[in-house]
Amino acid sequence: MPSNSSGHIVILGTGGTIAGTAAAAADNVGYQAGQLGVAQLVAAVPALAAHALEARQLAQVDSKDMSHALWQQLAAAVAEELAREDVQAVVVTHGTDTLEETAWFLHRVLAATKPVVLTAAMRPASALMPDGPQNLLDAVTVAATPGTRGVLCVLAGRVLGPEDVRKVHGYRVDAFAADEAGPVALVQEGQVRALRAWPQADPGEAAALQVAMQRPVAQWPRVDIVTSHAGCDGALVPALVALGSRGLVAEGTGNGTLHAALEVALRVAQAQGVAVWRASRCWAGGVVGQPEGALPSAGVLTPAKARVELMLQLMLRA
């Protein structure tokens, strides 16, 4: 996929709060996601008229209900648009709840050299002060800026990378952060201020994953998350294995530490051929180091992203 140059920016709508509406403008929580079409979102931002845009409605979902089938459809749609010579970038409007998972998935399966910019909103479009219009304008600004590349998330003036982005607040408009790495760039008064290198993925693995993910989603390897906590007995592990889990991500405490009972159950599953990774339930820091004999680490990935990554790794082994 060549780097971005002059051309159209395609906006793919998938629903989310950014397209949500409530009965009252003062209601920022009692809304229905995915009520407005992406063309309506674009029309509501007059400044976007300065750009050559195409809007395409791909889905209308609350991102808490994001599915593997929609990921498969979205990845194919983005790849199709990026392959067009007259398209310089793709923007995806998305819900906030699973945005970080979709960003990591697209980063790994596309290895895009043109910009693929995900944006969202914490307030519905019907709010007294919606954040969606500014986020959409900022996303298009990033997509249109020469030199930008890869999968990026643009929210509240920050450009966040797919590895680092995470939702850290359930209500505020500045709900996203980027671990200790910080933003990749900032959007300031219509200008993009780059702070570090744009994200890059392995194109060879991406090509192999694009082939692997063509199989029906019912054949994608099942990967589940189990949480370590006080009083944990590990009983969920054999139940998930019985349901067909081929991989388990343990959401550990602190630096990926696990309740002794959970670790015993996970090691039994591992001996049965189930892939097991440790992640941390702390929002920052990930898992540092690999003590001798410890279960494999997911590194800096959050448990949710680690689940996606382990699923992709298992796809490559199939």
Side-chain angles (χ1 to χ4, degrees):
M1 298 173 188
S3 60
N4 60 318
S5 57
S6 60
H8 291 83
I9 295 172
V10 176
I11 303 180
L12 299 177
T14 68
T17 299
I18 193 170
T21 58
D27 190 350
N28 292 323
V29 296
Y31 59 86
Q32 285 190 298
Q35 298 302 298
L36 301 181
V38 65
Q40 292 172 277
L41 301 183
V42 172
V45 187
L48 289 176
H51 299 273
L53 303 176
E54 295 179 19
R56 175 180 167 192
Q57 195 72 47
L58 197 66
Q60 276 286 36
V61 300
D62 186 323
S63 78
K64 68 180 177 58
D65 299 320
M66 182 58 64
S67 67
H68 291 167
L70 184 50
W71 272 354
Q72 186 183 55
Q73 183 185 1
L74 177 60
V78 173
E80 176 187 344
E81 298 297 350
L82 293 179
R84 291 171 50 188
E85 292 186 3
D86 63 332
V87 169
Q88 71 177 92
V90 173
V91 171
V92 178
T93 60
H94 199 284
T96 60
D97 284 347
T98 56
L99 180 140
E100 62 198 81
E101 296 168 66
T102 298
W104 183 253
F105 178 79
L106 292 177
H107 170 71
R108 292 288 284 115
V109 305
L110 294 176
T113 55
K114 293 179 181 180
V116 177
V117 185
L118 281 72
T119 195
M122 290 298 293
R123 293 175 179 168
S126 58
L128 289 170
M129 296 182 65
D131 53 323
Q134 185 66 59
N135 285 344
L136 181 56
L137 178 59
D138 287 349
V140 171
T141 298
V142 171
T145 299
T148 57
R149 58 176 289 159
V151 175
L152 302 164
C153 303
V154 175
L155 304 111
R158 300 185 187 98
V159 184
L160 309 174
E163 183 177 69
D164 314 306
V165 62
R166 58 209 64 197
K167 188 174 181 179
V168 297
H169 201 282
Y171 179 76
R172 293 192 324 223
V173 293
D174 59 340
F176 285 80
D179 198 354
E180 291 108 338
V184 175
L186 301 174
V187 185
Q188 300 172 324
E189 293 301 309
Q191 299 295 316
V192 177
R193 176 187 168 197
L195 301 176
R196 54 191 179 94
W198 305 110
Q200 296 186 52
D202 184 328
E205 278 201 344
L209 285 168
Q210 285 184 32
V211 173
M213 60 179 277
Q214 296 305 313
R215 71 188 70 164
V217 293
Q219 297 177 19
W220 289 15
R222 175 172 179 148
V223 177
D224 292 288
I225 299 173
V226 291
T227 302
S228 187
H229 54 82
C232 182
D233 62 8
L236 285 177
V237 173
L240 289 170
V241 173
L243 285 171
S245 285
R246 291 181 51 202
L248 292 169
V249 174
E251 186 176 4
T253 47
N255 190 36
T257 55
L258 301 172
H259 191 290
L262 177 59
E263 183 165 357
V264 168
L266 289 169
R267 289 191 180 278
V268 170
Q270 187 184 49
Q272 294 171 339
V274 177
V276 178
W277 284 3
R278 292 179 303 120
S280 174
R281 72 185 198 187
C282 300
W283 82 266
V287 178
V288 178
Q290 181 69 15
E292 185 177 353
L295 289 165
S297 164
V300 299
L301 295 179
T302 62
K305 289 185 200 172
R307 189 200 72 83
V308 176
E309 180 61 26
L310 182 51
M311 179 181 70
L312 295 176
Q313 290 297 322
L314 290 171
M315 279 186 182
L316 291 176
R317 299 177 199 170

